[in-house]
Amino acid sequence: MYSSVETAVIQGIDAISVFCEADVSDGLPVFDIVGFLSTEVRESRERVRTALRNAGFHLPPKRITVNISPASIKKTGTGFDLPIACAILSATGVIPEDALNGYLMSGELSLESEILPVSGILPVALSLTSEKILVISEGNSKEASLVPGIRYVSFSSLGEIIEFFNLPPERRTERIKISPASETSLYTEDYDIDFKEIKGQKVLRRAAEISAAGHHHLIIIGPPGSGKTMAAKAIPSIMPPMKSQEKIMISKICSVAGLMQGEDHLMEKRPFISPHHSVSVAGLSGGGSRPGPGAISLATSGVLFLDELPEFSREALEILREPLEDKTITLTRCKANITYPADFLMICAMNPCPCGYFPDLRRCRCTDSQIHRYLSKISQPLLDRIDLAVETGPINFDDLLNKDQEESSMEIRERVMKAFRIQEDRFKGTGIIYNSQIPPHLLDRFCKIGQEETSFLKSVFNDSAVSARSYHRILKTARTIADLNGHEDIKVPELMEAVSFKTPDKKYWGDDSRFKHFKEKGNICQSKSMNYG
C-alpha cells in the first residue's frame, strides 16, 4: 500500500513543503529511506522503527520504502521522524488512508515514542496555507501559536496521534486549535545598561547617538577601562523599537537556530550578539556540517559587537565585508546555496596598541613595529565600511565623582526617534529605512549639498585621500547629523562633524609618520571630534 504525508524542510530561514511517501509491498523485509538525506535523516530509520515498537506497533515483514520528495532538495533535521512514522502507519492500515490529507507534520521521535520539539517551527507555521493544519510536538505549541490565525494540533506521544487520526472527522475538529488573530505579548524591552551609567565620554555618547539614528557602523578606539564595552552594550537601548516585520524576521532566525522553543512571544528586544574573538569563520558567518545561521545573522535588526577587534582572525573579519554591503550572506555549497539575512549594526571596540595605552608614552611600552603589526590586522576595505571612528581617553577622577545625572538612554532615544521618523517620511515607498542604506545613485536626491559644502568636501577628499566609499559614507553620516539637528539641508557644520568622526582612523591606519608625530607630542591624543560638553 502507498501513503503520503506533507512536511517541510528548512532552507535558510524559510520552509519548503516536501512529502514523505511510504510504500509497503511484498518482498524481502527491508526498510529503506531515500531522497537526498543528511545523516540525521538517515538515522531516523532506527528511531522510527524503535518508537513504533515501543508504541505497540511492529513493522510488518515486508519491503518498506520511504521517499522524501523532491529528491533535488537536501533534507536536514530531525523533524522528519513524525511524518515518516505516520506515512508508514497509514500505508499499513493503522491510520485510515485519507485521514492525513490536509495535515502538515514535523516532529522528532524518541525511542520511547515521545514526540520531541524541533527547531524551525516558526517558519514552518508561517509557510502554512489556510487549508492546512499543522501537527507538532506539545513542546512546539507556544512557538506555533505566535503566527496569527493558523490551525494546529499538538501531541506528546505517537500513541496520541494514532488515536487522534482514528477519530471521526468531527471529533478531530474539536481538538484543533486556532492561534489568536493578533499578537498578545506582555513583553517589554528591558536593557541591562543605560547611558546614564556611563560617566563622561561626551564624544563617544554623541557618536553612539548618530550610529543608532542612522544605522551607521561604529568603531571605538581607546585604552582599557574607558567605557568602550559599556557604551556598545547600551546602544540597543537607544535604537528605535522593532517593527512587526523585524520581529518576525529575527524570530524566524532564532527559531531555525533552536532559540525559540518555549517562548510565548515574538522577539521584541533588539538582539545584542557579541562573539568571542576566537570565533571561527563558520561561527560568524553561518554554515557548518549542518548549515545554520551564524552570529551575523542572529544579530539581524540588532547589534553585532566585536570586542578586541584586532584579535579576531583575518579570515573571520574579511567575511564581514560583503554582508556589510548586501545585508545578506549566501553560503555556497556544492549542491545548494543558502541565504541568511545579515542586516546588523556593527559596533567594534579595540585598544590602540597591544598594551592598550598608545600614544600615552608615559604608560605605553610597545615598539613601533608591534603597534604597526597590531593595527595592520584590520584591512582598509573593512575600515572603509565603518562610518564612525571615535577615540576615547581615560575617564578622569572628577567625572567619576560627578554626582550630576548623565543623560539617560530614554532622553537620547527621543532624539533618535525624531530622526528616525524624518527618515521614514523621506524614504517612503523606496524600501530604504536608514540613511546609511542610501544607494550611490540616490545620494544626489537625498543628500543635496550647496557650493560651499562641495568645496569643503573637495578639500577633504584631496587632503585626506579618502576613498569613494568613504566619501559616500561621510555624506550619509552628515545626512543623519542634519536630521538629529532638525535641519532639512546638509550644511558645512554637519559635514565637519561627519568628517571628524571618519578621520580619527587615519591617525592609526595612515602612513608610518604617525608614530614619530605622536612621540614628539608625548601626550594622550584627543579626538578631533567637536566638543559636546
Side-chain angles (χ1 to χ4, degrees), residues 247-293:
K247 294 177 186 178
I248 292 173
M249 176 68 73
I250 188 59
S251 297
K252 285 171 67 177
I253 298 169
C254 290
S255 176
V256 171
L259 303 177
M260 281 288 292
Q261 293 178 14
E263 292 288 347
D264 57 0
H265 55 77
L266 292 175
M267 305 298 288
E268 299 192 13
K269 187 176 179 180
R270 290 194 180 272
F272 181 88
I273 305 297
S274 180
H276 191 261
H277 59 73
S278 62
V279 65
S280 65
V281 173
L284 196 61
S285 64
S289 57
R290 181 184 174 186

Side-chain angles (χ1 to χ4, degrees), residues 355-376:
C355 78
Y357 294 106
F358 178 79
D360 182 2
L361 300 184
R362 295 168 298 179
R363 307 177 72 181
C364 179
R365 295 296 179 264
C366 300
T367 64
D368 288 358
S369 61
Q370 287 175 323
I371 299 172
H372 185 273
R373 186 164 54 250
Y374 180 76
L375 296 175
S376 63

Side-chain angles (χ1 to χ4, degrees), residues 135-374:
V135 180
I136 51 173
S137 162
E138 194 70 54
N140 283 133
S141 59
K142 285 185 178 180
E143 186 176 339
S145 67
L146 299 179
V147 182
I150 70 159
R151 295 184 296 165
Y152 69 97
V153 58
S154 57
F155 303 96
S156 58
S157 70
L158 193 57
E160 291 181 12
I161 283 190
I162 296 170
E163 181 183 346
F164 172 79
F165 282 111
N166 278 281
L167 291 173
E170 60 274 8
R171 293 283 307 279
R172 291 203 298 267
T173 304
E174 296 173 2
R175 289 208 50 184
I176 295 172
K177 306 170 187 174
I178 301 177
S179 60
S182 60
E183 299 178 22
T184 56
S185 171
L186 300 177
Y187 183 81
T188 57
E189 293 183 55
D190 184 25
Y191 296 95
D192 296 332
I193 296 180
D194 193 288
F195 266 99
K196 66 184 178 183
E197 301 170 28
I198 301 174
K199 299 294 185 180
Q201 303 296 9
K202 301 297 184 183
V203 177
L204 173 57
R205 297 166 71 92
R206 174 63 171 179
E209 180 179 337
I210 297 169
S211 174
H215 214 259
H216 299 285
H217 306 304
L218 168 67
I219 183 169
I220 310 169
I221 310 167
S226 57
K228 303 187 298 294
T229 302
M230 278 190 72
K233 290 182 177 180
I235 284 177
S237 68
I238 63 172
M239 295 175 71
M242 287 199 293
K243 294 188 174 181
S244 58
Q245 301 95 318
E246 292 179 295
K247 294 177 186 178
I248 292 173
M249 176 68 73
I250 188 59
S251 297
K252 285 171 67 177
I253 298 169
C254 290
S255 176
V256 171
L259 303 177
M260 281 288 292
Q261 293 178 14
E263 292 288 347
D264 57 0
H265 55 77
L266 292 175
M267 305 298 288
E268 299 192 13
K269 187 176 179 180
R270 290 194 180 272
F272 181 88
I273 305 297
S274 180
H276 191 261
H277 59 73
S278 62
V279 65
S280 65
V281 173
L284 196 61
S285 64
S289 57
R290 181 184 174 186
I296 63 175
S297 296
L298 291 171
T300 295
S301 297
V303 171
L304 177 70
F305 178 47
L306 303 181
D307 202 4
E308 306 296 343
L309 185 66
E311 302 299 337
F312 284 79
S313 70
R314 184 67 175 249
E315 293 79 9
L317 290 180
E318 293 307 300
I319 205 74
L320 294 169
R321 286 161 56 175
E322 288 76 15
L324 286 173
E325 295 284 347
D326 302 334
K327 309 303 181 186
T328 60
I329 184 165
T330 300
L331 307 176
T332 303
R333 299 296 181 262
C334 60
K335 294 189 178 180
N337 291 338
I338 301 174
T339 299
Y340 290 111
D343 188 3
F344 54 87
L345 176 63
M346 186 172 75
I347 308 296
C348 307
M350 60 174 287
N351 297 326
C353 69
C355 78
Y357 294 106
F358 178 79
D360 182 2
L361 300 184
R362 295 168 298 179
R363 307 177 72 181
C364 179
R365 295 296 179 264
C366 300
T367 64
D368 288 358
S369 61
Q370 287 175 323
I371 299 172
H372 185 273
R373 186 164 54 250
Y374 180 76

